[in-house]
Amino acid sequence: MSLPTHAQIVVIGGGIIGCSTAYHLARDHKADVVLLEMGQLTSGSTWHAAGLVGQLRSSASITRVLKYSVDLYKRLDAETGLATGWKMTGCLRLATNDDRWTEFRRLATTARSFGMDMHLLSPQEVKSMFPLMEVGDLIGASWLPTDGQASPSDITQSLARGARIHGAKLIENVRVTGFEMDNGRIVKVKTDKGDIACEKVVNCAGQWARQVGEMAGINVPLQPVKHQYIITDRIEGLSAEAPTIRDPDRRTYFKEEVGGLVMGGYEPNPQAWTTGDVPNDWQFRLFDDDFDHFEQHMVQAIDRIPAMANVGVKQMINGPESFTPDGNFILGIAPECANMFVGAGFNAFGIASGGGAGWVLAQWVVDGESPLDLWAVDIRRFSNLHRDRQWVLDRTLEAYGKHYTIGFPHEEYTSGRPAIVSPLYDRLKQHRAVFGSKLGWERPNWFAPEGMTAEDIYSMGRQNWFKAVGDEHRHVREKVGIFDQSSFAKYELSGKDAGKALDYICANDVSKPVGRLTYTQMLNTRGGIECDLTVARLADDRFYIVTGTGFRTHDFAWIRDHIGSDLDATLDDITESFGTLSLMGPNARDVLARVTTSDVGNAAFPFGHVREIDIAGTTVRALRVTYVGELGWELHVPIAATGAVFDVLMQAGEPFEIRPVGYRALESLRLEKGYRAWGSDITPNDSPFEAGLGWAVKLKSNTDFLGRQAAEATRNAPLKKRLVGITVIDRDVVLLGRETILRNGEPVGYLTSGGFGYTVDSPIGYGYIRNAEGVDDAFLAEGKYELIVANEPFAAKVHIEPLYDLRNERIRA
């Protein structure tokens, strides 16, 4: 096939992700699509994938993506005439210890929350399903009957045929060599066979995606890792319908194939391939067999299935798979280039994800925004830190090694730390801080009292920091605490049209006088919440925008990409220019008044205002705002002076018993106060009206803004879901999120976040209660509620108002 000179969309890469994306673009959107593959279809890592297809993930949207894959693979052969090798064998996950069993009971609850039916089985039931298995060490297993397996190459070829049927052009043996750019956008794809002018590009180049991205100045932080599995000779007594098995405590997996077993695993000492460029000629190629490295899996596998000791190995597969620093794949709009989209880094989940990933990525490409809450896999979750190849290598190998380890709540990565520290790092260490990491920033999670080891000890129940965090929480409620929030992302938007730009992008009214502060969401065209942040007006033509640490790349790109091209408005990321100290608690004003000559009384400095004040000879941007429900200020300090301002505040606060406080207490405080967290309680799937934030949407004004039409439609119809607070009567229950909400015995939703409120002395969760006919106050009040936690029901209460509410007199006075 000759190379066309123009296409609406060019897809780069002919593996399962590229072919699925081309198929969905052509089938669902009738797009003019050209797919370019530098070798042959499937020749990268698709052809040697093991082909296990699981569906359950910790995100409802990602689980939906994987469920879509299964539904597609079931029916694709009927459309294309090419079989996919799909077998719904079900999957057994084995548990050999109490923590793993608790994890599985929580997973079963999550599955129920997401509309899936996961069963918990006894060792005897496992034995009956897989008679060749040794089950003496098992506590039990989870069983998801709708999981299965498929042939990666067959699925890909079937998708490719489907793409062609619907009009896409798939061209092999064409290598992309670069891009022609104009004002930060791709206008042509350059290849070794000629150029193609195009409107959009989708980078599905697998382990080459990083190199393809670099040609357009785009960072795709993935790392090829050597992943091995074997295919055995025929095993007597092995059923062709045997379930797939994941044996995470032994780090191995199994599936039946032609009478034998495919067996592989995820070792704690993985082997990376290269941090440099992957050779272009690495097609249908493997590494040499490495039985020495693989022996650890063989030993564990034979213990589990003794028949493997007496069977030959037909073939060893040792090939590179693309893994990422957090174990989630990569989708979405590249933040550096608004018309390149990426689908890569599938962490050995490419076959399970392929159908669904192509479906949502195609929609994303056409609409310019994600069709679901895909934050967990959004490429904009990364930052410039992820351009450091050594850092990406170290963190990715740690993530690979954790592939089958127990997922303890609140567990932190340890590699590549510390990467970024605030000026207070050493000071907070002296206060016995236990740090966590967010987008590379070291942040104090909690402070260990004297006599207690300053480290996290992970467990599936209450963890070692529970009491210490409670003391910090109460200190903020009763006295005064200081939080180091220097990792906040901070931007300035300036120019004569800055206000006009924000008027359109923000759902709330930010066109207030200089010195005012506005809490606002930014909505997508569906009326869902894309950003949740504060905007302070410093001057008529200058605004200061503050958002969460993890959303730095995402929110910057969202704002920048929605500033009209004809407007005089420039967005600058100034995160590292300012440290941030949050001074919070009933005594906050007393402390602040001692260190500044500015009037910080309520009349001079009301809630929702920003002022420049002097502290320790430094001009500080003080924002009167709170995320804990107490009197307080965010103090944004020139970065070099952060330490000096902290020292002055600590000294002035001695009579008021000031102390540093960590992020775990912050989380507990905000749960009591009902403040929403973006990415969990509020997402691109959720409207402000459903989330109880309709008061922050300027529908009473005549101003047009992004998402207004969808917001009006939501407001004017009965709400089909509403975010509520939920408490459990039993204070010893540990809530983490994703627990199922029952109303009168029927599932109506699940928790989006969970924790403990020390002031109200109760576990607290937030979640959406759903009802197709509408959710009003009467519907909420009439129900009898329970939460399913680790597969057990607990009596619960639903709350519409915040659990801790002083009617705002503390924070507004």
Side-chain angles (χ1 to χ4, degrees):
M1 183 184 294
S2 61
L3 202 68
T5 58
H6 179 273
Q8 181 188 359
I9 301 164
V10 174
V11 177
I12 302 170
I16 189 168
I17 308 302
C19 288
S20 179
T21 303
Y23 166 80
H24 287 93
L25 282 167
R27 188 197 71 178
D28 298 346
H29 307 286
K30 314 305 177 197
D32 169 23
V33 183
V34 173
L35 181 148
L36 304 177
E37 163 56 47
M38 70 176 172
Q40 294 173 264
L41 299 183
T42 79
S43 63
S45 57
T46 296
W47 72 277
H48 62 72
L52 275 69
V53 179
Q55 299 165 85
L56 183 61
R57 299 295 284 268
S58 59
S59 155
S61 290
I62 305 306
T63 298
R64 185 175 165 192
V65 167
L66 300 183
K67 286 170 73 175
Y68 176 93
S69 292
V70 167
D71 292 340
L72 178 65
Y73 301 160
K74 285 179 186 175
R75 56 181 168 77
L76 189 62
D77 58 344
E79 178 185 342
T80 67
L82 288 181
T84 62
W86 167 250
K87 284 201 304 183
M88 195 172 80
T89 56
C91 180
L92 287 167
R93 290 173 175 81
L94 311 181
T96 66
N97 58 68
D98 289 336
D99 280 340
R100 181 73 71 183
W101 190 237
T102 300
E103 180 182 48
F104 282 5
R105 287 191 291 122
R106 287 192 173 274
L107 275 175
T109 303
T110 299
R112 182 174 185 175
S113 293
F114 296 169
M116 302 174 74
D117 195 14
M118 178 180 275
H119 307 274
L120 297 178
L121 307 182
S122 69
Q124 292 71 34
E125 290 172 309
V126 172
K127 183 77 171 178
S128 68
M129 295 175 71
F130 204 109
L132 296 176
M133 189 189 302
E134 171 56 53
V135 299
D137 62 335
L138 294 189
I139 291 177
S142 69
W143 167 242
L144 200 56
T146 53
D147 280 357
Q149 61 190 70
S151 166
S153 293
D154 289 347
I155 292 175
T156 305
Q157 294 293 350
S158 190
L159 287 165
R161 177 175 286 185
R164 291 187 178 107
I165 288 171
H166 292 289
K169 301 179 182 72
L170 281 65
I171 308 174
E172 297 176 308
N173 300 306
V174 177
R175 183 165 60 86
V176 173
T177 58
F179 301 99
E180 184 176 317
M181 312 287 291
D182 182 23
N183 199 26
R185 296 177 67 88
I186 297 168
V187 293
K188 279 186 182 176
V189 178
K190 296 178 172 294
T191 81
D192 58 356
K193 302 285 173 64
D195 299 347
I196 305 177
C198 64
E199 296 166 27
K200 296 177 181 179
V201 173
V202 192
N203 177 1
C204 299
Q207 59 200 349
W208 292 274
R210 186 168 67 183
Q211 287 149 245
V212 170
E214 283 178 347
M215 296 175 189
I218 290 158
N219 183 41
V220 184
L222 50 80
Q223 172 62 47
V225 180
K226 297 179 181 181
H227 184 72
Q228 295 188 90
Y229 65 87
I230 59 168
I231 306 170
T232 74
D233 290 332
R234 184 175 294 274
I235 297 176
E236 193 67 34
L238 179 64
S239 167
E241 302 305 316
T244 60
I245 297 167
R246 288 181 169 86
D247 190 0
D249 295 325
R250 294 181 181 270
R251 300 177 180 270
T252 52
Y253 60 80
F254 306 84
K255 74 163 187 172
E256 186 276 338
E257 186 164 300
V258 200
L261 281 173
V262 168
M263 185 277 289
Y266 293 87
E267 60 275 13
N269 57 335
Q271 298 175 318
W273 185 16
T274 176
T275 56
D277 287 350
V278 175
N280 287 327
D281 62 355
W282 194 272
Q283 295 153 29
F284 294 120
R285 287 176 60 184
L286 297 170
F287 303 111
D288 293 338
D289 297 346
D290 189 348
F291 277 102
D292 288 343
H293 192 72
F294 195 72
E295 182 183 13
Q296 57 191 303
H297 297 315
M298 285 297 298
V299 170
Q300 297 288 352
I302 290 169
D303 284 347
R304 178 62 67 211
I305 302 177
M308 288 186 66
N310 303 310
V311 69
V313 173
K314 187 187 300 182
Q315 185 181 9
M316 170 172 270
I317 304 291
N318 186 4
E321 295 269 6
S322 292
F323 284 80
T324 64
D326 61 3
N328 286 326
F329 51 87
I330 299 172
L331 288 183
I333 305 175
E336 306 93 336
C337 176
N339 68 335
M340 179 181 267
F341 297 76
V342 180
F346 278 83
N347 304 279
F349 280 108
I351 309 310
S353 311
W359 162 55
V360 292
L361 189 54
Q363 191 76 48
W364 207 332
V365 171
V366 170
D367 292 345
E369 59 185 43
S370 65
L372 301 171
D373 168 27
L374 297 172
W375 172 241
V377 297
D378 194 319
I379 190 170
R380 293 168 296 182
R381 71 188 186 272
F382 300 118
S383 68
N384 282 333
L385 171 68
H386 297 88
R387 293 182 178 274
D388 181 335
R389 289 195 174 187
Q390 187 61 48
W391 192 94
V392 168
L393 169 70
D394 294 342
R395 180 56 60 87
T396 301
L397 292 185
E398 184 183 3
Y400 180 105
K402 288 178 179 288
H403 197 87
Y404 275 165
T405 58
I406 294 168
F408 287 111
H410 312 292
E411 187 173 2
E412 296 276 353
Y413 285 101
T414 59
S415 59
R417 294 178 57 186
I420 308 169
V421 298
S422 94
L424 304 183
Y425 181 69
D426 290 329
R427 288 172 172 83
L428 297 176
K429 259 188 169 180
Q430 291 172 5
H431 284 276
R432 302 176 53 76
V434 180
F435 289 91
S437 178
K438 188 83 165 191
L439 212 64
W441 284 82
E442 292 292 315
R443 312 192 313 176
N445 277 338
W446 60 285
F447 292 83
E450 290 294 337
M452 181 179 183
T453 304
E455 65 176 335
D456 287 322
I457 299 175
Y458 299 118
S459 76
M460 296 304 287
R462 292 260 181 262
Q463 297 189 353
N464 66 316
W465 44 263
F466 182 77
K467 182 179 181 301
V469 169
D471 291 342
E472 294 176 33
H473 171 116
R474 282 182 286 271
H475 204 87
V476 174
R477 287 275 183 254
E478 297 166 6
K479 297 175 182 175
V480 61
I482 189 167
F483 300 82
D484 179 13
Q485 296 190 281
S486 299
S487 62
F488 269 157
K490 313 164 198 81
Y491 325 124
E492 279 192 7
L493 185 69
S494 56
K496 68 179 178 64
D497 295 324
K500 185 176 180 181
L502 285 175
D503 261 354
Y504 175 70
I505 303 169
C506 295
N508 205 349
D509 180 12
V510 298
S511 61
K512 295 172 183 171
V514 173
R516 291 294 303 276
L517 182 74
T518 307
Y519 166 67
T520 185
Q521 284 82 47
M522 295 176 175
L523 308 183
N524 54 40
T525 57
R526 306 190 312 279
I529 301 169
E530 286 287 346
C531 309
D532 179 72
L533 41 74
T534 56
V535 178
R537 189 161 204 166
L538 303 180
D540 286 341
D541 60 353
R542 191 158 62 106
F543 294 81
Y544 185 53
I545 302 169
V546 183
T547 190
T549 306
F551 318 133
R552 177 178 181 176
T553 305
H554 172 277
D555 289 8
F556 184 89
W558 182 267
I559 297 167
R560 181 201 61 204
D561 292 348
H562 289 91
I563 296 172
S565 58
D566 58 334
L567 298 183
D568 175 8
T570 302
L571 186 67
D572 294 303
D573 186 326
I574 57 169
T575 297
E576 281 78 19
S577 298
F578 289 90
T580 304
L581 303 175
S582 288
L583 185 70
M584 298 287 158
N587 297 333
R589 179 177 286 117
D590 297 316
V591 176
L592 192 58
R594 288 189 168 210
V595 299
T596 181
T597 56
S598 301
D599 185 349
V600 293
N602 193 56
F605 199 157
F607 186 80
H609 284 66
V610 57
R611 299 277 187 269
E612 288 196 338
I613 65 174
D614 180 86
I615 304 176
T618 300
T619 301
V620 172
R621 289 180 183 173
L623 280 60
R624 179 89 187 275
V625 65
T626 180
Y627 194 54
V628 302
E630 298 292 342
L631 173 68
W633 285 262
E634 279 178 20
L635 304 173
H636 293 251
V637 185
I639 196 78
T642 307
V645 170
F646 175 82
D647 292 342
V648 165
L649 287 168
M650 289 296 290
Q651 185 177 2
E654 278 184 14
F656 306 99
E657 299 181 55
I658 192 172
R659 62 176 290 186
V661 179
Y663 271 81
R664 298 238 167 98
L666 184 77
E667 174 69 3
S668 169
L669 291 157
R670 76 96 186 166
L671 284 170
E672 286 188 340
K673 188 60 185 168
Y675 293 133
R676 281 68 166 141
W678 192 86
S680 53
D681 306 318
I682 50 178
T683 76
N685 288 351
D686 308 312
S687 157
F689 296 95
E690 297 165 338
L693 298 171
W695 55 269
V697 183
K698 56 189 175 197
L699 289 183
K700 290 180 181 177
S701 77
N702 294 320
T703 307
D704 186 29
F705 60 90
L706 183 60
R708 177 171 187 134
Q709 192 172 349
E712 286 176 333
T714 303
R715 183 196 60 177
N716 294 332
L719 293 175
K720 295 181 179 180
K721 67 177 189 180
R722 279 179 64 184
L723 187 72
V724 297
I726 299 182
T727 54
V728 181
I729 312 303
D730 185 340
R731 74 179 302 278
D732 294 325
V733 169
V734 177
L735 299 182
L736 301 172
R738 298 182 297 282
E739 293 85 356
T740 311
I741 306 168
L742 300 184
R743 179 184 182 274
N744 299 336
E746 295 297 320
V748 290
Y750 56 89
L751 295 191
T752 52
S753 60
F756 192 86
Y758 295 90
T759 306
V760 299
D761 195 34
S762 174
I764 302 173
Y766 285 87
Y768 288 90
I769 289 180
R770 294 165 165 80
N771 180 41
E773 281 73 49
V775 182
D776 58 16
D777 288 357
F779 179 86
L780 293 174
E782 289 162 5
K784 178 186 176 186
Y785 294 92
E786 294 171 292
L787 279 183
I788 304 296
V789 183
N791 234 29
E792 291 184 34
F794 292 90
K797 291 182 179 177
V798 162
H799 307 268
I800 301 173
E801 298 295 326
L803 288 153
Y804 175 81
D805 196 347
L806 298 179
R807 298 300 164 199
N808 292 328
E809 67 262 24
R810 276 194 182 173
I811 64 172
R812 297 197 184 276

